[in-house]
Amino acid sequence: MLGEWVSIAPEIRPGALKNEDGSAKPFYLTRDFRYADKEIFELTIVNSADAYGKVPLAKIFIRGHISWRGDHPIAEGAQKVDFTADEAYQVTPLISGFADLLNKITSNSYDKWEVGKTQSIFGKSFAPFGLVEGINFKEFDLIYLFNDLLFWGARNVDGRGFDKEENRPTNLQIPLVRKS
């Protein structure tokens, strides 16, 4: 699994926000994942407003450690893993509307949000992502490597995150491919 992995195409996820009818509001993203020795990972996510990734909203960078927790029953060779962002967590607005939104809903512990300006949210409260000061972001996920494709767990259809062991995914999502 060592190396760099990227999205095949923009991906869709059910979000925690709801549409007027109560259904999960989708969001779109691409992932660039690097895995190195000593269980360290780096993940760059670009969230987009559209399914084709033509209107990028924000870039998110996370760096931390992977903890391997044993076999996952979804497929032979699949592993339970915990991703902990215990080294870095950064956000870069890529469009003015998103920067404006962050300026309205984040605390005054941040500089003014501007397009292209990266700010660290590591160790701080950040309501848009549900982060609480002093608590590292952590996800209870899974990893499955098959035919040079890297799968993680599929998001819960109701938009719940992987913030608890009981929310650990039970299905696979669209895989990442090895970056050449």
Side-chain angles (χ1 to χ4, degrees):
M1 197 175 88
L2 294 176
E4 188 170 357
W5 302 82
V6 295
S7 296
I8 296 168
E11 305 171 31
I12 186 171
R13 298 284 190 294
L17 298 177
K18 304 295 182 200
N19 291 310
E20 288 182 19
D21 67 0
S23 62
K25 186 175 242 177
F27 66 96
Y28 308 95
L29 61 88
T30 57
R31 298 174 287 158
D32 186 323
F33 176 74
R34 291 183 179 100
Y35 182 64
D37 290 333
K38 305 204 186 327
E39 313 307 333
I40 295 174
F41 75 93
E42 292 182 351
L43 175 63
T44 301
I45 297 169
V46 175
N47 284 87
S48 298
D50 67 305
Y52 298 107
K54 302 295 184 198
V55 183
L57 298 172
K59 181 170 71 171
I60 301 160
F61 174 79
I62 299 170
R63 180 179 166 93
H65 289 85
I66 296 177
S67 300
W68 298 87
R69 302 295 184 203
D71 294 338
H72 190 290
I74 189 67
E76 187 173 334
Q79 295 290 306
K80 294 178 186 177
V81 296
D82 299 345
F83 291 103
T84 305
D86 55 3
E87 292 194 5
Y89 203 143
Q90 301 169 341
V91 176
T92 308
L94 301 176
I95 193 169
S96 60
F98 188 68
D100 293 344
L101 176 67
L102 290 178
N103 283 319
K104 289 177 185 171
I105 64 173
T106 59
S107 70
N108 57 8
S109 63
Y110 295 98
D111 292 338
K112 181 180 179 188
W113 291 94
E114 298 175 16
V115 173
K117 181 181 174 187
T118 300
Q119 290 197 54
S120 174
I121 61 173
F122 182 71
K124 301 177 183 178
S125 291
F126 192 72
F129 295 178
L131 299 178
V132 176
E133 185 174 345
I135 299 175
N136 291 329
F137 172 79
K138 181 177 183 176
E139 282 197 326
F140 298 84
D141 206 335
L142 70 88
I143 287 179
Y144 179 57
L145 191 59
F146 180 77
N147 286 346
D148 221 21
L149 297 171
L150 177 60
F151 294 86
W152 290 350
R155 289 284 169 202
N156 295 304
V157 295
D158 61 5
R160 275 178 299 132
F162 302 154
D163 58 337
K164 303 174 190 165
E165 176 64 39
E166 56 267 24
N167 289 347
R168 190 180 298 274
T170 57
N171 292 283
L172 301 174
Q173 73 179 16
I174 296 170
L176 300 172
V177 295
R178 194 176 291 277
K179 188 172 181 179
S180 48

